[in-house]
Amino acid sequence: MVLEDRSHAETLGVGKAIAVLTSGGDAQGMNAAVRAVVRVGIYTGAKVYFIHEGYQGLVDGGENIREATWESVSMMLQLGGTVIGSARCKDFRSREGRMTAALNLVKRRITNLCVIGGDGSLTGANDFRVEWGGLLADLQKQGKISAEEARGSSHLNIVGLVGSIDNDFCGTDMTIGTDSALHRIMEVVDSITTTAQSHQRTFVLEVMGRHCGYLALVTGLACGADWVFIPESPPPKNWEEIICQRLNESRLRGSRLNVIIVAEGAVDLEGKAITSEFIRNMVAKRLGFDTRVTVLGHVQRGGTPSAFDRILGSRMGVEAVMALLDATPDTPACVVSLSGNQAIRLPLMELVQMTKDVTKAMEEKRFNDAIKLRGRSFENNWDTYRLLSHHEIPSSKSNFTLAVMNVGAPAAGMNAAVRSAVRVGLTQGHKMIVIHDGFEGLANGVIEEFTWPQVSGWTGIGGANLGTKRVLPAKHMPEIVANISKFGINGLLIIGGFEAFLGALQVLDGRCQYEELCIPVMVIPATVSNNVPGSDFSIGADTALNAITSVNVEHLTEKMKTTVKRGLVLRNEKANEHYSTDFIYNLYSEEGQGIFDCRKNVLGHMQQGGSPSPFDRNFGTKLGAKAVQWFSTALKAAYRHGRIFANTPESVCLLGMRKRSVLVQPILELRNRIDLEHRLPRDQWWLRLRPILKVLAKYKVSVDISEQATLEHVRPQSGSAPADLS
């Protein structure tokens, strides 16, 4: 949804009724989705109903099915769980129970149902839709509904949103609740890390994932775990010897901490369960290490939703309403999924079948197929983990020297990218050097070689351990060129914000004067401002969003206990020179006397600090690994007559996420896409979220529905291409 054609959008739902329910296990972010369904549904002119207690409420009817109002979803966004309840329902599994559910919907003229839940809940919804006509025929025969009521409710439209902390449903990169669960896990990991280092301990951490290892895998990437056990890829037969050897080598290199992550469904090649207790006893017995077990359990479902889940739930809820109102009697039940940064619609039963295919592949010990069926996002995570954790440093060297530095303001996740780049570079046989304090450090020669242990524990550290400055290279080019030559730098990886982008441009421009600058250069966007062209996301932006959403939580919690409603005004620091934060605060304070109180909070640099979010740790780790893989190819291609010479525009690039893919893009092509005066990309995808924000906040705004998603297919269908689920 974007902007314009308001008259059409505001009448799209007139005469229609939508019901929303949550089913199965609860997940943080479900309330954001419910809120979006209700408010966008009302905006379009439709009636919207809550179905309390999931399918049980649908069968029981009565007060469990209530019309929703705009105010009834106030104060829901930041709450965990699901405020409309969820329950297991045996009654709905019987035809008699489904007939009663159909009767309850027909009597309220509800023909559009949004189901938020896991694969079982969504499969049940599709079965309900398929037999809808037969249920209505039986109800009419029994005299429970009239012929007119049957005609008015002749078909049922179903749209599903996947709410599951396990991320175990194929076809979407992230399910609602997964990111929040990762936040809970990383809070525990960060807490036990300090005590483990103090006492030289090994920690075995068990996370949820009976059939899917996503939480374990991403946790392993985000904390730099020594080993990860997941059901999709059992370890080799001699895994006990291998893991003990690796743990022992880690201690010999000076590491005081070892972390092993276990999914609750982890098995060996014979299908025998690998439990956290078994691993603890094995490590303690074989190595004599002080080894402890932490089983997280349902704490992973708790707490407030992360910023990512609030936005994800809201975006999916909006798209669900559009999909329901677009549907015809021939439209199959669909699921609103996330592919990269795009909301897409995929046929529900195709995704259910793919999810079943994963289970079948694991049962048949086709583990490579199981990982591929999980989707490109899961496969990329697995490949990155193996690259960082299961590769030895080769004895033969590439004879290439790759330098890594940070430029611009610090951003949480920078250290994860540096760690990943250094370690992957070492596994590729490169000499890895780091530059302290950005281009200024490069000019001053503040450069050192880094080894594997020197980046241990960096994933969870905020800021920039290498130091970072906004200094651009143009004024220091002679000194920079001299040190590139002195230290034999063959490739330069720049991790930073807008200054990193501008610095790379200046390096490119400097090639006409200095041949030493004809080396491969890559920029990884890392800034809380998220203002680097060529990437929808920058490392650090997610952490900053979570810092913002956590502000004043205690105050809001107290207000929620009363009937007092909340008003929130957010202001960008450069929004308007006259309407300052102080001006707005004074205005509201004066005008609100006796009606409401007013507070202000200037977040400032706290948005850059703190531990990186799971998203930023994972994003930084993957981008760092991908960047070095690009360098390995680019360096070989540029090697001529015993030296590196890269002078094409394609040899200075930016690595970023664009819509549904991570892309390598020449900096020169991005040059015309920037507003240099305001330090912004000319196209900012997130501005298209602003009308949605205003609709959800009950502003009178125009909304254009011309850019909504259309139904795609997961598998090739008569000449069509499969959806890109990267």
Side-chain angles (χ1 to χ4, degrees):
M1 288 172 60
V2 200
L3 241 110
E4 293 324 296
D5 193 6
R6 173 179 168 187
S7 58
H8 177 44
E10 285 194 335
T11 58
L12 196 63
V14 171
K16 298 179 180 180
I18 300 170
V20 58
L21 66 84
T22 54
S23 177
D26 63 298
Q28 308 97 315
M30 280 183 166
N31 290 322
V34 170
R35 172 179 176 268
V37 169
V38 168
R39 290 194 166 175
V40 175
I42 292 173
Y43 173 84
T44 64
K47 280 190 174 183
V48 185
Y49 291 84
F50 291 131
I51 299 176
H52 292 267
E53 310 307 332
Y55 285 116
Q56 190 64 56
L58 185 57
V59 174
D60 294 343
E63 285 299 304
N64 288 302
I65 305 177
R66 283 179 260 172
E67 186 172 354
T69 64
W70 197 275
E71 290 72 24
S72 61
V73 291
S74 293
M75 308 305 295
M76 283 177 63
L77 192 62
Q78 65 271 27
L79 299 179
T82 164
V83 298
I84 60 174
S86 178
R88 308 288 179 186
C89 181
K90 291 183 179 179
D91 294 338
F92 193 74
R93 296 177 184 174
S94 68
R95 181 176 174 81
E96 183 181 350
R98 292 192 294 275
M99 192 179 299
T100 304
L103 176 63
N104 288 329
L105 292 181
V106 170
K107 289 299 181 182
R108 293 167 176 81
R109 298 181 180 179
I110 298 170
T111 57
N112 299 282
L113 186 60
C114 177
V115 178
I116 308 170
D119 59 342
S121 302
L122 300 184
T123 301
N126 186 72
D127 293 343
F128 190 38
R129 174 189 170 276
V130 169
E131 64 178 356
W132 180 259
L135 294 174
L136 263 58
D138 288 351
L139 286 170
Q140 191 176 345
K141 285 179 186 177
Q142 295 172 15
K144 293 183 178 179
I145 63 172
S146 66
E148 183 180 351
E149 286 176 318
R151 282 194 300 272
S153 303
S154 59
H155 66 278
L156 178 67
N157 300 319
I158 297 287
V159 171
L161 304 181
V162 191
S164 166
I165 69 166
D166 295 337
N167 205 31
D168 56 356
F169 194 80
C170 291
T172 184
D173 287 354
M174 289 283 272
T175 57
I176 295 170
T178 301
D179 188 69
S180 299
L182 287 169
H183 274 260
R184 301 295 90 76
I185 295 169
M186 292 314 304
E187 287 166 7
V188 173
V189 171
D190 289 346
S191 296
I192 66 175
T193 295
T194 51
T195 183
Q197 285 180 327
S198 299
H199 299 278
Q200 276 196 304
R201 284 179 177 153
T202 297
F203 262 92
V204 183
L205 186 73
E206 182 179 307
V207 301
M208 284 185 171
R210 193 169 302 159
H211 306 292
C212 178
Y214 184 88
L215 289 178
L217 177 56
V218 176
T219 299
L221 279 176
C223 73
D226 294 274
W227 197 286
V228 172
F229 292 89
I230 62 172
E232 290 87 350
S233 185
K237 285 186 178 181
N238 62 335
W239 67 268
E240 295 176 36
E241 289 77 15
I242 295 173
I243 192 172
C244 286
Q245 180 183 350
R246 186 163 298 158
L247 294 176
N248 195 46
E249 288 174 352
S250 173
R251 289 292 173 93
L252 291 174
R253 288 197 299 261
S255 174
R256 297 179 59 83
L257 165 68
N258 298 113
V259 177
I260 300 168
I261 309 295
V262 188
E264 61 179 328
V267 294
D268 64 18
L269 286 169
E270 303 305 317
K272 181 183 176 182
I274 298 177
T275 66
S276 50
E277 279 296 331
F278 178 85
I279 296 169
R280 183 189 73 82
N281 293 332
M282 184 270 295
V283 171
K285 182 178 179 181
R286 292 194 179 206
L287 298 176
F289 290 177
D290 184 1
T291 308
R292 306 294 174 93
V293 169
T294 299
V295 180
L296 292 189
H298 282 78
V299 71
Q300 294 160 87
R301 295 190 186 277
T304 59
S306 65
F308 185 96
D309 274 327
R310 299 183 198 199
I311 297 168
L312 179 65
S314 299
R315 290 181 70 185
M316 287 188 165
V318 171
E319 189 59 45
V321 173
M322 293 297 106
L324 285 169
L325 299 182
D326 279 349
T328 68
D330 299 323
T331 305
C334 77
V335 172
V336 177
S337 299
L338 181 73
S339 179
N341 188 33
Q342 295 287 103
I344 61 173
R345 303 177 193 173
L346 298 173
L348 189 156
M349 292 315 294
E350 288 185 22
L351 301 187
V352 169
Q353 184 57 52
M354 183 180 278
T355 304
K356 290 179 179 178
D357 289 347
V358 176
T359 303
K360 184 178 180 182
M362 289 192 288
E363 289 172 351
E364 295 175 354
K365 299 183 180 180
R366 293 183 289 110
F367 299 113
N368 287 336
D369 290 343
I371 286 176
K372 289 183 183 299
L373 285 165
R374 281 284 180 216
R376 197 176 300 174
S377 175
F378 189 98
E379 188 177 6
N380 286 341
N381 284 325
W382 179 247
D383 289 344
T384 304
Y385 159 70
R386 288 179 59 81
L387 199 59
L388 286 165
S389 302
H390 290 253
H391 279 253
E392 301 296 330
I393 299 175
S395 54
S396 60
K397 302 302 180 182
S398 69
N399 295 321
F400 295 137
T401 298
L402 184 58
V404 184
M405 68 175 175
N406 298 135
V407 174
M414 277 182 165
N415 292 323
V418 172
R419 170 189 174 272
S420 176
V422 167
R423 289 193 167 179
V424 173
L426 291 172
T427 66
Q428 305 272 309
H430 306 322
K431 179 181 179 181
M432 299 302 298
I433 63 176
V434 299
I435 301 165
H436 297 273
D437 299 327
F439 284 112
E440 183 179 294
L442 179 55
N444 294 331
V446 190
I447 299 168
E448 66 175 311
E449 184 176 355
F450 253 36
T451 59
W452 191 277
Q454 285 176 279
V455 289
S456 293
W458 278 34
T459 52
I461 301 173
N465 283 357
L466 296 182
T468 181
K469 292 189 176 182
R470 298 179 185 271
V471 175
L472 293 175
K475 293 181 179 180
H476 306 277
M477 204 63 84
E479 295 85 359
I480 286 173
V481 168
N483 281 323
I484 286 176
S485 179
K486 176 182 176 181
F487 289 91
I489 296 173
N490 303 126
L492 181 62
L493 176 59
I494 310 170
I495 303 167
F498 203 78
E499 288 83 5
F501 179 83
L502 294 179
L505 276 176
Q506 291 182 4
V507 169
L508 179 64
D509 292 339
R511 284 178 169 181
C512 60
Q513 187 175 356
Y514 301 102
E515 191 176 290
E516 291 86 350
L517 298 179
C518 292
I519 59 173
V521 178
M522 175 163 276
V523 175
I524 292 179
T527 167
V528 301
S529 301
N530 201 29
N531 64 337
V532 179
S535 188
D536 292 350
F537 293 111
S538 297
I539 296 168
D542 184 72
T543 304
L545 281 173
N546 280 286
I548 293 166
T549 55
S550 66
V551 169
N552 228 6
V553 170
E554 295 84 1
H555 174 62
L556 295 180
T557 301
E558 289 303 312
K559 293 187 80 171
M560 281 191 288
K561 295 176 182 177
T562 72
T563 58
V564 178
K565 290 184 172 61
R566 171 180 60 89
L568 183 64
V569 177
L570 295 175
R571 178 185 177 275
N572 177 275
E573 61 179 336
K574 300 290 186 182
N576 188 290
E577 62 178 313
H578 301 297
Y579 294 106
S580 65
T581 302
D582 286 336
F583 174 85
I584 295 170
Y585 168 73
N586 292 332
L587 176 66
Y588 275 92
S589 297
E590 181 65 28
E591 296 298 324
Q593 289 181 9
I595 304 172
F596 56 83
D597 67 339
C598 186
R599 299 187 182 190
K600 68 175 178 179
N601 201 326
V602 179
L603 303 186
H605 285 83
M606 71 167 287
Q607 297 162 83
Q608 295 174 340
S611 297
S613 68
F615 180 94
D616 281 328
R617 299 183 197 201
N618 187 26
F619 195 41
T621 298
K622 288 198 287 190
L623 290 188
K626 284 181 180 291
V628 172
Q629 289 174 308
W630 176 84
F631 273 109
S632 295
T633 302
L635 288 168
K636 289 176 184 176
Y639 187 71
R640 298 183 187 91
H641 309 298
R643 68 189 186 104
I644 297 295
F645 185 77
N647 66 341
T648 64
E650 291 75 21
S651 61
V652 180
C653 293
L654 180 138
L655 183 65
M657 177 184 281
R658 297 295 302 276
K659 294 185 177 179
R660 296 164 69 168
S661 300
V662 174
L663 302 174
V664 174
Q665 306 150 91
I667 286 279
L668 197 61
E669 292 181 8
L670 300 174
R671 180 178 233 152
N672 295 327
R673 300 185 196 173
I674 60 171
D675 176 352
L676 193 57
E677 180 185 353
H678 298 98
R679 298 167 54 86
L680 287 170
R682 294 190 185 279
D683 177 42
Q684 299 164 74
W685 70 269
W686 44 267
L687 282 178
R688 292 188 282 277
L689 297 179
R690 197 174 185 188
I692 297 173
L693 181 153
K694 291 199 169 185
V695 166
L696 295 176
K698 209 174 183 178
Y699 278 76
K700 295 287 185 181
V701 295
S702 301
V703 175
D704 176 20
I705 56 174
S706 62
E707 286 193 20
Q708 64 197 43
T710 56
L711 190 67
E712 303 180 18
H713 289 280
V714 181
R715 306 174 189 277
Q717 301 282 326
S718 59
S720 63
D724 179 4
L725 302 178
S726 59

